[in-house]
Amino acid sequence: MTGAAGAPPTAPAAERVGYRQLLAVAPYRVLLCGYGLGTVAESLRAVALSVLVLTATGSTVLGALAYGISFIPQVIGSGLLGNVADRVQPARLIGLGYLLEGATAVVLVLVAMPYWAVLALVAAVAATTPVSQGATGRAVAEVLPGTAYVPGRSLLNVVSSGAQLLGLGCGGLAVAGLGARRALLVTALAHLAAGVWVAARLGPLPLPHQPRRAAGGRSSGAGGRSSTVGGSWAESRRLLADRRVRRLLLVRWLPPALATGAESLVLPYVRDRGLSTGTGGVLLACLPVGMLVGNTVLGRFVRAGTVERSVLPLLAVLGAPLLAFAVPGLPVALGGVLLVAVGVGFCYSLGLQRPFLAAVPEHSRGQAFGLQSTGLMTAQGLSPVAAGLIAEAMTTGRSVAVMGVLVLATAGLFSRWLPAFAAGLPGSAAGRD
C-alpha cells in the first residue's frame, strides 16, 4: 500500500506504535511535512491579511472578518465539492490546494483591488479547503491502518499546534519587519513549496471503490456520470442521515467551538483588567502549548483503547478550567496554567478518531473527513459571535465561565453516546467482552 519506501507499522491492539515507527513510513512523512508547512503559511497569512485590511480601512470589523474569512465558505465547498476527495488521487488534491493558496497570496500582493474583492477572493479559495482536508484525512487513514492511525493523527495534531505557534509568532514579526504585503509574499512561497513537495513526493494511493445505485438509478461512483456537485450533496446527506456518524460529528464540533468562543474573549478580558496586550498574547499561546503536550502524551504513551475511554474526562478538562475566570482578580499565571489545561482538553478528539473511521463507509472517507473539518471550522468561526453577545450582558470573565459551563453541559448531554462509539473496536473494553 505504501510501496517500498516504507510499510505501515502494525502491532497488536494492546501495544503502542511509536513516532519513530510512524516516521519510517515515507508517504506519512510527506503528508506531515506538507501539512506543517501549509499550517505555518495559513497562520501567517491570517495575521498579515488581517493587518493589511485593518490598516487600510481602519475598520475593526473588517479586520476581524479578514482574519476569519476562510471559515464559513467551507460549508459550501464541502456540500458541493466534498465528493472529489474520494475520486481523485490525494497527491493531486492536496498539492493543488496548497498551490492555489499560494497563487492567491501572489495575486493579493501584485494586483490592486478593493477590499471587498480581496475578501471575496479569499473566501472563494477557502471553499475548496474541504477537498484538500478530506484528501489528507483519507490519505493518513490509508497509509497508517490499524493501531498506527491514532498515533498518526496525534503526531499530525502536534505538528499543527507547533506550526500554529510558529506561524502566529512569526506573523507579527514578519508584518512588523516586512510589512503586510511582503509578509503575504512569504506565505505564498511557503504554500507553493508545500504544494510542490506533496505533489512530487506523495505517490499514488488506492482510490476507494465507488458503489453504484440500484439498477435504473444514476451512478454516484467515480466511474459514474453523476455530477460532482450532485454526488457530493447526496453523499453529505447520506453521512448526516447516519445517526452514529451524525452524533460523532456533533461531539467533534460543539465542545471545541464553545471553547474557541471563550478563547476569543481572552484579549477583551485582558483589556478589561487593564493588562497589556502582550499578556493577552502569552495567555493565547498557552492553548496550543496544552494541545501540543496533550497530543504528544496521548498519542505517544497511551493505548488507543484508553484514549477512547478518556473522552469524557478530557471534555471536563476542556470546560472546567474556564469557570475560574469568573473569579475577580484571577492571577495571570494561574490563568495561563488553566488555559494550558484547556488546550490539553482539546485532545479529547483523539478518542473519536477510530470510532469515526469505523463509522463511515470506505468509499466516503475523504468526504467524511472534509465534512468533519468543515463543520468544526464553521462552528469555531461562529462561536466568537455568540461569546461576544454574551459579553455584552456581563463581564468578560463571567462570559468565559459561561462558555465553560456550556462545554460541560454538552459533555453531559453526549455522555450517554460515548460508550457506544468505541464498542467493538480493537483494544476497547467493549471489544474484549
Side-chain angles (χ1 to χ4, degrees), residues 96-163:
L96 183 60
Y98 289 142
L99 292 173
L100 187 58
E101 293 278 6
T104 302
V106 171
V107 171
L108 294 178
V109 171
L110 299 180
V111 180
M113 60 179 75
Y115 285 95
W116 65 264
V118 169
L119 297 179
L121 175 61
V122 173
V125 173
T128 67
T129 299
V131 177
S132 56
Q133 291 280 6
T136 299
R138 186 170 70 78
V140 172
E142 189 70 42
V143 303
L144 296 179
T147 54
Y149 178 66
V150 171
R153 294 294 306 191
S154 162
L155 185 54
L156 204 69
N157 291 343
V158 168
V159 169
S160 176
S161 298

Side-chain angles (χ1 to χ4, degrees), residues 1 8-17 22 140-153 303-305 308 350 353-355 357-358 365 425-427:
M1 186 178 299
T10 58
E15 296 183 11
R16 293 184 291 270
V17 175
L22 297 175
V140 172
E142 189 70 42
V143 303
L144 296 179
T147 54
Y149 178 66
V150 171
R153 294 294 306 191
R303 293 168 181 162
E308 283 141 17
L350 280 179
Q353 297 296 335
R354 286 201 309 165
L357 188 64
R365 279 181 178 176
L425 292 175

